[in-house]
Amino acid sequence: MKKFFLALWWWFVLIMGSLAAYMLYRKPFSLTPYLVLAGTAFFALCTFKLIQEGYRPWGLLGESRTGFWLSLLLLPLTLLPLLSAYEVWQQGIYIADESRSHRLFNVLLTWGLELLQKLFGHWGPIVAMVLTTLCMSSILLSVMGTYRR
């Protein structure tokens, strides 16, 4: 099974690396190809180390660091609320996306952000999303600290 995951990992790295190299060739002075290349390298490193930790012999070198690599892999996802806050700041108003599914979580989130906007203006959702980003990243960093040797 380890060979299957490593083959899948190599397939992903080759495709994304080729895409990043092509983007870099097309627009060498743009920031986007460098961000894609850095993101691909970060994802490749974290997933490779996660596969290594998952298939390491149990008695070798003490405790597993799987949680550390998984937390490090999830750390960039904490920036998504910050991206949403930037979009609200650009528009000057929070606009709920009506095309999203009407699940309970999405309805409550939209209702909460609209309430914050009514109470505090467009800065209400921005502050809420920035605080969410900070809380999520601090939780992941504390989890990473417990798995660090």
Side-chain angles (χ1 to χ4, degrees):
M1 201 64 182
K2 180 181 180 179
K3 290 180 181 178
F4 171 74
F5 284 123
L6 286 175
L8 194 63
W9 179 81
W10 271 111
W11 180 76
F12 171 78
V13 168
L14 287 175
I15 288 175
M16 290 304 293
S18 300
L19 177 67
Y22 178 72
M23 287 175 67
L24 194 61
Y25 172 74
R26 296 286 292 165
K27 295 181 180 178
F29 298 111
S30 177
L31 182 62
T32 306
Y34 293 103
L35 290 176
V36 170
L37 187 63
T40 301
F42 178 77
F43 187 77
L45 173 72
C46 290
T47 52
F48 180 72
K49 294 303 263 183
L50 192 61
I51 292 169
Q52 272 187 335
E53 285 293 323
Y55 287 100
R56 187 172 53 113
W58 288 102
L60 187 64
L61 298 175
E63 62 188 42
S64 174
R65 296 181 65 189
T66 304
F68 172 77
W69 290 106
L70 188 60
S71 297
L72 191 62
L73 186 62
L74 294 176
L75 195 58
L77 293 178
T78 62
L79 296 176
L80 289 178
L82 197 59
L83 178 65
S84 298
Y86 177 69
E87 290 172 356
V88 169
W89 178 73
Q90 275 185 326
Q91 294 173 354
I93 189 169
Y94 174 72
I95 300 171
D97 188 8
E98 298 297 328
S99 65
R100 296 177 76 163
S101 64
H102 294 287
R103 294 185 182 161
L104 181 62
F105 178 73
N106 288 339
V107 170
L108 289 175
L109 180 67
T110 302
W111 178 78
L113 290 174
E114 286 175 348
L115 180 67
L116 282 172
Q117 181 166 306
K118 287 178 185 175
L119 292 174
F120 302 107
H122 74 282
W123 285 103
I126 292 173
V127 170
M129 288 184 241
V130 167
L131 288 177
T132 302
T133 297
L134 292 175
C135 289
M136 286 173 28
S137 60
S138 66
I139 288 170
L140 276 176
L141 288 173
S142 68
V143 167
M144 285 172 54
T146 59
Y147 284 106
R148 190 174 290 153
R149 290 184 192 165

